[in-house]
Amino acid sequence: MDKCEPILNTGLRGFSVATTQISDVDGKRGRLIYRGYPVKDLAGAVSFEETACLLLHEKLPSQSELKDFDTALKKERAVAPEILTAMEKMPADALPMDILQGCVSMLAAFDPDIADESPEAAMRMSMRLIAKMSTLCAAWDRIRNGKKPVDPSPDLGHGANFLYMLTGETPDGHTASFFDTALTLHAEHSFNASTFTARQVASTKAHVYASISAAMGSLSGPLHGGANTRVMKMLMEIGSADRVDDHVKNVLETGGVIMGLGHAVYQVDDPRAHILEPMSRELGEAAGDPKWHTLSKALEKKGKAAFKEKKGKDIFVNVDFYSASLYHYMKIPMDMFTPVFAAARVAGWAAHVLEERFAGASDKPVLYRPESEYIGEYCGEEDCKLPEEN
């Protein structure tokens, strides 16, 4: 029997699988667009609540619309006590993303709209998930450390409330503002792996919780989420700016990678990195501990130069490079960086689920069913004999 030549996996790179009005990533020019707005114009100018409203409702809200949206989110922040009890029974060393993915699935059992397949019900579920995700993240970090979860504050914005529930302390204005901006920067990024997963599951008419739980499973993989955690671990391993040259040399000689440099789409610096970098510097200076920002800047500069010299081409900084030190300065545990990513990206995931399920054609959704190329063996009818029974 002849064997077919193996076909390289493409990872769907270069293939368009759907249309969207939610966001666009222009890798050549380094632009990220949310509903027509460059993210660099939104970051720091609008709140995460306004960003989420834009992604879900296709336009920035008026003041009255924002007030209603904010009130609705605050109303949905608390999670059922049964879910907190379930968390308390989990091993303290469980991976945070595994716990959170399970809790998102459990939220479905407490949602009064779960059997309603209307777009209005899906929107309400989306709002509940955006509101509750940060509560779940903060609750798990406290529970695993033997602390009681902190109840959401009705007086704080979404980002500030997250940090309050995580630490038990109301964050200062600078930290709260920077964290809010970071949430906006991570809220959406077009058809990345987890968003595609959410849309694929939504194409089966699965509900919002199932779609976003699947997206979280995708995000938990080391090729997608967790890069900024690995950036921070790398910085700690290097330790000081005077050891950067040795680290870069060792990485290039051994064929390794400098975490936070390089991206699957951007062919220039990630525009989000340029927004996060000065925030990391400012928080480091305010804390009297600029070490991690200084080390990051040195690593970016020397890593880019060494890569250019050895490989003959440029490499670019991505969003994870400076979000690592920024989150560290905010006292967020390293293994919670990916859950924080999820707490922001849930707004984008929800927007994509709604678009996949209800936008455009009346026969939406179209069930995703890609083809594959079989490269295994084949035996003809005369050659193919089943084993005889003994």
Side-chain angles (χ1 to χ4, degrees), residues 45-221:
V46 302
S47 65
F48 174 75
E49 291 90 330
E50 289 172 283
T51 302
C53 191
L54 169 66
L55 293 172
L56 292 179
H57 296 290
E58 305 180 25
K59 67 183 184 69
L60 286 171
S62 65
Q63 287 301 309
S64 61
E65 289 169 336
L66 177 60
K67 182 178 179 180
D68 290 343
F69 189 86
D70 180 57
T71 298
L73 278 182
K74 288 178 176 176
K75 181 181 177 181
E76 298 291 353
R77 284 175 176 172
V79 300
E82 291 88 346
I83 293 179
L84 297 178
T85 298
M87 281 184 167
E88 292 171 355
K89 299 180 182 299
M90 295 294 105
D93 61 352
L95 297 176
M97 284 298 291
D98 290 342
I99 297 296
L100 295 173
Q101 184 180 11
C103 288
V104 166
S105 294
M106 285 193 289
L107 287 174
F110 298 91
D111 196 302
D113 289 315
I114 200 64
D116 188 337
E117 295 188 4
S118 70
E120 293 80 13
M123 179 65 77
R124 291 192 293 270
M125 291 184 217
S126 298
M127 291 287 290
R128 291 177 186 126
L129 255 177
I130 292 170
K132 297 179 192 302
M133 188 75 81
S134 59
T135 306
L136 292 173
C137 290
W140 172 244
D141 187 58
R142 294 186 68 83
I143 287 171
R144 68 175 179 166
N145 286 297
K147 299 177 182 179
K148 182 179 178 181
V150 174
D151 292 334
S153 170
D155 302 319
L156 296 175
H158 191 81
N161 177 65
F162 190 151
L163 294 177
Y164 167 70
M165 290 188 297
L166 187 70
T167 66
E169 300 176 358
T170 301
D172 64 82
H174 258 12
T175 300
S177 176
F178 287 169
F179 185 63
D180 189 84
T181 297
L183 293 179
T184 291
L185 293 173
H186 283 93
E188 168 58 12
H189 207 243
S190 192
F191 274 51
N192 54 81
S194 57
T195 298
F196 178 70
T197 299
R199 292 190 71 125
Q200 186 274 323
V201 175
S203 80
T204 71
K205 290 192 175 181
H207 55 62
V208 174
Y209 294 99
S211 301
I212 290 181
S213 175
M216 294 186 70
S218 179
L219 182 64
S220 71

Side-chain angles (χ1 to χ4, degrees), residues 19-38:
T19 58
T20 182
Q21 295 184 4
I22 298 171
S23 73
D24 181 54
V25 178
D26 184 339
K28 291 183 178 179
R29 291 189 288 180
R31 294 200 311 176
L32 172 58
I33 305 295
Y34 293 179
R35 300 280 190 190
Y37 294 92

